[in-house]
């Protein structure tokens, strides 16, 4: 075969998962929740009948035109056009979720996860292309099964605007993955949608997962459409697709690191995450404070390029427990402070063992009580930033922090002296990170005092773009001031975007000016993307590309 198979794309319903219709009583119970949202005098049964009939009409239209509408368009134009448009638009996604939950229970086939993961490990690039009226259901269920990261692309008809058997939706997957149709396989369950669209798109092979009770009649109805292969169980794919010998990356590879923050719940283990990061275009990994010894036990870290360790890693005592017990390097309690120091020493040990050059350090806090800051963030979200109420809360926080900082800051200094002495024999630098909460240490001026404790060969500055933006929005420290004052000590940049005051979005999804950050960034500084698991693989790739376009990487 001139074009060896590189990509396996899957349909969802009937292929990776099954749908079992709900009984009338269970259906009506969920429709009752929809009644509350709509504030209508209709009975649950009347509303159910109305929606069912209108969905039938929409389905006929969609199958005829091969178009698919977003939830907003679907519910305002087809399902509830006689309600106020803005009312329905605001709750369309939720109504759609409830209706789908009312009509069926959707469950992955027992073998789905094992088959998907094994194909990934054999070197195949995976994706999903599905006809669906929900933009949130499939991403959510993949995350629940901890397999989001295994699919490089997920294309949903209600987002793309077209549906199978239009081949354009499959060709969009080909375009995003930067491959040729001749290197792709499509696995579906319907001949007239899945096989027909894949054949028209020029795919190398089509595979049908047969429904045992209905496939014979389905094949007879579409006798002119023949799949290349029929299977009854996804595990049969493992007999068809052997391990690939060449697993080249089809994307640009950037001098950038991806934090293991993004691994949690997206992959079953770190080995798969490392491979996924490589395929997405990352050349390095940062081990973050969610990684414990058990997660590292099956890995030979010497085989990977690890840019940095974010303490406390290994997190055998979680960061949440360290905070709740005040086992932090900022604690005025000597026993508690020592526990915090020991946690960071374990990270230094890990870095030294595997020749990792940087350990990112959080310097603790004056208080774990963020209730006042939450009020401040609520005011920001309500458009009241700069109001008298906002200013009063801000001044209250400033006074509160000032009253507590002296013993905490002295503890941080003592701790850093001990940690610097501990790390001195090794080629490991400590990097002090600016933080997300105002009660965290250090503040803008405090950072300079801490960096003065040692030279740049031992101690550096880690600029967290999202943290800086969030505190800037709340009116505390200008985000650019951190860079202006400490760029000469900058050794790593944590890159993620911010929407409002919420951080860890993929770059380009929020409001940060990354071109401005690029102007300050030394060539040698590590670039690390710190992303919440809510960002799907395609947004991670888009974030990398955005950073490249703005000169950050």
């Amino acid at each position: 075969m001139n074009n060896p198979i590189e990509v396996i794309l899957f349909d969802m319903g009937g292929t990776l998962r099954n749908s079992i219709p709900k009984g009338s009583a269970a259906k009506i119970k969920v429709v009752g929740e929809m009644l509350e949202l709509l504030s209508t005098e209709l009975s649950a049964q009347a509303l159910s009948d109305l929606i069912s009939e209108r969905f039938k009409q929409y389905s006929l239209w969609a199958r005829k035109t091969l178009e698919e509408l977003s939830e907003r368009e679907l519910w305002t134009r087809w399902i509830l056009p006689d309600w106020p448009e803005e009312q329905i638009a605001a709750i369309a996604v939720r109504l759609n979720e409830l209706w789908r939950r009312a009509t069926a229970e959707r469950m992955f086939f027992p073998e789905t996860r094992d088959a998907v993961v094994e194909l990934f490990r054999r070197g195949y690039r995976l994706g999903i292309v599905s006809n669906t009226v929900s933009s949130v259901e499939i991403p959510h269920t993949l995350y629940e099964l901890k397999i989001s990261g295994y699919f490089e692309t997920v294309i949903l008809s209600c987002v793309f605007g077209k549906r199978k058997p239009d081949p354009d939706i499959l060709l969009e997957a080909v375009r995003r993955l930067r491959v040729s149709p001749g290197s792709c396989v499509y696995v579906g369950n319907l001949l007239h949608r899945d096989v027909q669209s894949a054949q028209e798109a020029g795919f190398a092979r089509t595979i049908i997962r047969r429904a045992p009770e209905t496939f014979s009649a389905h094949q007879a109805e579409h006798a002119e459409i023949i799949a290349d292969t029929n299977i009854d169980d996804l595990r049969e794919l493992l007999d068809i697709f052997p391990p690939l010998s060449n697993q080249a990356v089809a994307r640009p590879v950037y001098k950038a690191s991806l934090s293991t923050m993004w691994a949690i719940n997206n992959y079953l283990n770190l080995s798969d995450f490392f491979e996924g990061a490589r395929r997405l275009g990352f050349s390095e990994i940062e081990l973050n404070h969610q990684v414990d010894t058990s997660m590292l036990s099956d890995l030979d870290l010497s085989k990977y390029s690890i840019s940095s360790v974010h303490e406390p890693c290994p997190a055998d005592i979680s960061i949440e427990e360290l905070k709740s017990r005040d086992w932090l390097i900022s604690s005025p309690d000597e026993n508690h402070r020592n526990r915090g120091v020991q946690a960071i020493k374990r990270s230094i040990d890990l870095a030294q063992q595997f020749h990792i050059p940087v350990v990112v350090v959080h310097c603790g806090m004056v208080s774990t009580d963020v209730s006042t800051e939450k009020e401040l963030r609520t005011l920001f979200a309500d458009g009241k930033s700069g109001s008298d109420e906002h200013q009063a809360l801000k001044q209250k926080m400033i006074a509160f922090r000032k009253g507590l900082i002296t013993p905490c800051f002295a503890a941080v200094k003592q701790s850093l002296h001990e940690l610097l002495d501990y790390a001195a024999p090794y080629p490991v630098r400590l990097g002090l990170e600016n933080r997300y909460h105002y009660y965290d240490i250090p503040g803008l001026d405090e950072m300079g005092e801490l960096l003065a404790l040692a030279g740049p060969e031992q101690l550096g500055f880690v600029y967290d773009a999202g943290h800086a933006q969030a505190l800037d929005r709340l009116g505390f420290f200008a985000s650019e001031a951190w860079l202006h004052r400490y760029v000469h000590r900058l050794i790593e940049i944590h890159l993620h975007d911010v929407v409002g005051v919420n951080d860890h979005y993929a770059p380009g999804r929020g409001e940060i000016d990354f071109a401005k950050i690029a102007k300050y960034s030394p060539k040698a500084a590590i670039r690390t993307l710190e992303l919440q698991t809510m960002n799907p693989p395609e947004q991670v790739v888009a974030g990398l590309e955005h950073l490249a376009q703005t000169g950050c990487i």
Side-chain angles (χ1 to χ4, degrees):
M1 187 180 295
N2 293 330
N3 250 339
I5 300 303
E6 300 175 39
V7 173
I8 304 173
L9 299 175
F10 293 88
D11 172 50
M12 178 57 78
T15 304
L16 295 178
R17 71 179 183 186
N18 196 18
S19 296
I20 301 173
K22 290 276 186 74
S24 58
K27 181 177 181 179
I28 291 301
K29 182 178 180 181
V30 180
V31 172
E33 296 182 49
M34 300 175 71
L35 285 175
E36 295 179 14
L37 284 175
L38 293 169
S39 301
T40 177
E41 295 181 359
L42 288 175
S43 67
Q45 187 62 59
L47 181 62
S48 176
D49 292 343
L50 176 70
I51 294 174
S52 294
E53 178 57 34
R54 289 178 175 176
F55 255 104
K56 288 178 184 177
Q57 296 302 315
Y58 169 75
S59 295
L60 289 173
W61 173 84
R63 289 171 185 171
K64 180 179 179 180
T65 62
L66 300 186
E67 294 181 26
E68 196 84 83
L69 301 181
S70 67
E71 288 103 320
R72 176 181 178 132
E73 292 175 307
L74 169 63
W75 282 83
T76 57
R77 289 171 50 185
W78 282 89
I79 309 303
L80 298 176
D82 25 19
W83 265 257
E85 181 177 351
E86 288 308 309
Q87 177 195 357
I88 300 305
I91 57 174
V93 172
R94 180 58 180 156
L95 288 171
N96 202 58
E97 286 181 285
L98 288 170
W99 180 249
R100 289 182 64 79
R101 180 153 63 86
T103 54
E105 183 177 3
R106 296 168 177 85
M107 300 175 295
F108 283 101
F109 292 112
E111 75 277 9
T112 292
R113 186 165 74 173
D114 289 346
V116 163
V117 171
E118 180 57 29
L119 288 169
F120 173 90
R121 291 173 180 170
R122 291 185 179 191
Y124 296 96
R125 302 174 66 196
L126 309 180
I128 291 173
V129 180
S130 178
N131 284 359
T132 177
V133 295
S134 174
S135 64
V136 297
E137 184 180 277
I138 289 175
H140 180 70
T141 55
L142 293 177
Y143 183 78
E144 282 190 329
L145 204 61
K146 297 185 178 182
I147 57 173
S148 294
Y150 295 91
F151 295 98
E152 284 188 51
T153 188
V154 175
I155 301 179
L156 311 175
S157 59
C158 64
V159 177
F160 183 65
K162 296 182 180 180
R163 55 184 281 129
K164 298 172 293 182
D166 189 325
D168 282 355
I169 191 170
L170 288 172
L171 291 172
E172 176 64 12
V174 169
R175 184 192 67 78
R176 294 185 189 182
L177 292 170
R178 305 182 187 187
V179 294
S180 68
S183 65
C184 299
V185 170
Y186 192 57
V187 184
N189 71 309
L190 295 174
L191 295 164
H192 62 298
R193 292 186 193 170
D194 302 325
V195 172
Q196 179 179 324
S197 58
Q199 289 176 345
E200 291 182 10
F203 276 32
R205 191 168 186 172
T206 57
I207 298 176
I208 280 289
R209 182 199 176 109
R210 294 180 292 200
E213 299 85 3
T214 60
F215 184 75
S216 294
H218 179 61
Q219 181 66 82
E221 184 181 356
H222 304 283
E224 74 285 2
I225 306 173
I226 306 294
D228 296 299
T229 307
N230 296 332
I231 62 173
D232 300 305
D233 188 298
L234 291 173
R235 285 169 290 205
E236 294 175 50
L237 295 174
L238 305 181
D239 298 325
I240 301 170
F241 300 108
L244 294 178
S245 56
N246 178 26
Q247 299 182 23
V249 177
R251 307 182 186 280
V253 177
Y254 297 97
K255 183 65 175 174
S257 183
L258 181 61
S259 168
T260 50
M261 170 188 285
W262 192 68
I264 309 304
N265 291 327
N266 277 332
Y267 294 89
L268 298 182
N269 58 42
L270 285 184
S271 179
D272 290 344
F273 163 73
F274 284 9
E275 172 59 18
R278 184 189 74 88
R279 295 187 194 182
L280 296 179
F282 291 89
S283 56
E284 297 179 303
I285 297 295
E286 177 175 277
L287 300 174
N288 89 317
H289 52 67
Q290 293 164 292
V291 173
D292 59 29
T293 299
S294 66
M295 297 166 72
L296 295 170
S297 60
D298 296 330
L299 283 173
D300 180 359
L301 289 179
S302 64
K303 294 181 178 180
Y304 302 98
S305 181
I306 310 297
S307 64
S308 44
V309 176
H310 194 316
E311 61 84 14
C313 176
D316 298 326
I317 303 173
S318 72
I319 194 167
E320 290 78 16
E321 184 174 353
L322 291 171
K323 288 179 181 179
S324 67
R325 293 175 177 266
D326 191 33
W327 289 354
L328 303 172
I329 66 171
S330 58
S331 177
D333 183 293
E334 184 64 11
N335 290 330
H336 291 181
R337 188 189 68 79
N338 281 329
R339 295 298 293 262
V341 169
Q342 291 305 314
I344 299 177
K345 283 182 176 179
R346 287 192 290 273
S347 297
I348 295 172
D349 291 340
L350 181 66
Q352 184 274 331
Q353 180 182 358
F354 292 103
H355 310 288
I356 302 168
V358 171
V359 173
V360 179
V361 175
H362 282 180
C363 292
M365 58 192 65
V366 302
S367 173
T368 58
D369 183 2
V370 294
S371 58
T372 306
E373 187 173 313
K374 284 183 178 178
E375 292 181 53
L376 203 65
R377 291 173 184 270
T378 299
L379 288 175
F380 178 89
D382 292 342
K384 296 179 181 179
S385 181
S387 65
D388 290 345
E389 186 179 1
H390 180 276
Q391 290 299 323
L393 278 176
K394 178 183 166 184
Q395 292 306 316
K396 177 183 176 181
M397 290 182 66
I398 291 172
F400 181 78
R401 190 182 192 279
K402 185 177 180 180
L404 296 176
I405 186 60
T406 299
C408 295
F409 197 60
V412 171
K413 283 185 172 181
Q414 183 178 348
S415 299
L416 286 177
H417 277 301
E418 294 173 15
L419 291 167
L420 288 164
D421 288 344
Y422 187 79
Y426 313 126
V428 175
R429 282 194 289 179
L430 305 184
L432 308 184
E433 182 180 359
N434 61 296
R435 303 293 305 284
Y436 181 66
H437 294 291
Y438 179 66
Y439 291 160
D440 290 340
I441 300 171
L444 182 60
D445 293 333
E446 295 157 2
M447 178 65 79
E449 196 170 338
L450 295 181
L451 289 173
L453 296 177
E457 72 285 352
Q458 271 198 289
L459 190 62
F461 169 47
V462 176
Y463 178 70
D464 189 295
H467 295 174
Q469 177 86 347
L471 283 182
D472 189 342
R473 288 291 180 83
L474 293 177
F476 291 109
F477 311 117
S479 58
E480 195 172 355
W482 296 92
L483 291 167
H484 181 72
R485 291 176 62 171
Y486 304 120
V487 65
H488 63 291
R489 299 293 291 271
L490 188 59
I491 61 174
E492 182 170 355
I493 311 166
H494 283 166
L495 296 161
H496 50 103
D497 220 330
V498 172
V499 177
V501 291
N502 299 311
D503 60 352
H504 295 294
Y505 288 88
R509 291 189 65 198
E511 299 137 9
I512 290 181
D513 183 352
F514 288 98
K516 184 178 293 185
I517 295 172
K519 294 177 183 178
Y520 286 94
S521 304
K523 185 176 181 180
I526 299 164
R527 275 76 162 166
T528 300
L529 274 75
E530 266 197 339
L531 306 177
Q532 287 283 12
T533 53
M534 62 185 178
N535 299 278
E538 287 178 290
Q539 288 178 356
V540 175
V541 172
L544 265 179
E545 293 173 347
H546 182 76
L547 292 175
Q549 291 164 5
T550 55
C552 268
I553 59 174

